[in-house]
Amino acid sequence: MGSNNDISLKALAKINLGLDVVRRREDGYHEVRMIMQTIHLYDRLDIKRTKEPGIQIQTNLSFLPVNENNLIYKAAKLLMDEFSITDGVSVKLDKRIPVAAGMAGGSTDAAAMLIGVNRLFSLGLTKRQLMERGVDVPYCIMRGTALAEGIGEALSPLPPMVKCPVLIAKPSISVSTKFVYQNLKLDDTTIHPDIDRLIDDIKAKNLHDIAAHMGNVLETVTIPNYPVIDEIKKHMLSNGAVGAMMSGSGPTVFGLFDDEDTAKKAYKAMRSSHLARQVYLTSVYNNRK
């Protein structure tokens, strides 16, 4: 954990086991029903308390902002302003979660930063109080398996997802979340995933049923525009995944496996296929035993 003046935290990524867009609201926001799942792929934040005021960020990726445009910076500033903290913090971010990939990488880093500042400066905020202080951050503080509704802000914990290997593959393309939502057509022909059925499968801990009933309505936009997403899905399935799907608004694809050996072979096959720029083999994370 480090001393009282420094702390090392893991910021865990998420995938969506189900993502449905119910409707577009008058204000332009989309109403969703999503099942979120934390996985063991993570960024690491080494946070130090400094006598020198201000927020210093170092990162292993040169293209990430290290100023107020970084969500870590915003999260730290939020608490430091609120509690009139005069000391500073320095953060070393080792980023492994693919960026702009539908995996909540920025939000999970911000969540870890809130937790870190809370501990380093002994602010005494509860998990619930920290969740109230960030946009997109609450789920990353909560972790585990959860249903998100409304515009994503209404969270209900679900029973833990069955543990299994998860293969992650991000192609070298970037997909704009805004583009995906703007081009999403919701009409009578839209095939919506059955989120309630998926929740029942999760409760029953039946991996094959979960895989069969996973669905992401945003694939109707991304796959026609970015066929590589479908190629990656097919590659995972032909290499033994029980299910494969795009996470969030993409372009990351994940595959669920029912045994470690098959998952390891699929990982090697995916790496040598050159379909994806970043490939990771990880597993489902449960915060409740």
Side-chain angles (χ1 to χ4, degrees), residues 109-287:
D109 292 346
M113 192 65 196
L114 289 176
I115 292 165
V117 171
N118 185 41
R119 283 193 204 159
L120 277 183
F121 295 97
S122 309
L123 304 180
L125 296 169
T126 63
K127 202 169 170 180
R128 168 70 47 199
Q129 287 170 319
L130 288 173
M131 283 170 70
E132 286 162 4
R133 280 167 170 77
V135 187
D136 283 344
V137 167
Y139 169 70
C140 298
I141 290 175
M142 183 181 193
R143 291 180 173 174
T145 315
L147 172 69
E149 295 174 291
I151 53 170
E153 84 297 348
L155 294 173
S156 324
L158 293 173
M161 159 82 177
V162 60
K163 288 218 165 167
C164 67
V166 181
L167 180 61
I168 299 290
K170 180 186 183 257
S172 55
I173 54 168
S174 290
V175 176
S176 141
T177 302
K178 193 176 170 191
F179 168 84
V180 175
Y181 277 98
Q182 278 175 346
N183 288 275
L184 178 65
K185 290 182 179 54
L186 295 174
D187 56 31
D188 298 344
T189 63
T190 310
I191 297 167
H192 291 274
D194 189 339
I195 300 292
D196 293 323
R197 190 168 181 185
L198 196 48
I199 291 171
D200 289 341
D201 298 335
I202 289 168
K203 287 177 180 167
K205 299 212 179 307
N206 187 320
L207 182 62
H208 286 260
D209 283 353
I210 292 166
H213 300 138
M214 290 193 310
N216 182 346
V217 77
L218 301 182
E219 286 186 341
T220 58
V221 181
T222 53
I223 286 175
N225 283 285
Y226 305 98
V228 67
I229 292 170
D230 204 38
E231 284 177 56
I232 292 174
K233 281 176 66 173
K234 285 178 176 148
H235 192 278
M236 286 188 185
L237 292 166
S238 66
N239 281 279
V242 293
M245 193 171 81
M246 182 180 79
S247 184
S249 54
T252 302
V253 174
F254 68 88
L256 305 181
F257 290 80
D258 57 9
D259 78 280
E260 199 67 49
D261 288 344
T262 310
K264 282 179 182 158
K265 286 182 187 134
Y267 167 77
K268 285 186 182 141
M270 181 59 71
R271 291 204 58 156
S272 49
S273 75
H274 299 296
L275 285 170
R277 180 182 283 176
Q278 286 169 285
V279 185
Y280 296 103
L281 182 57
T282 179
S283 62
V284 160
Y285 166 91
N286 290 335
N287 59 349

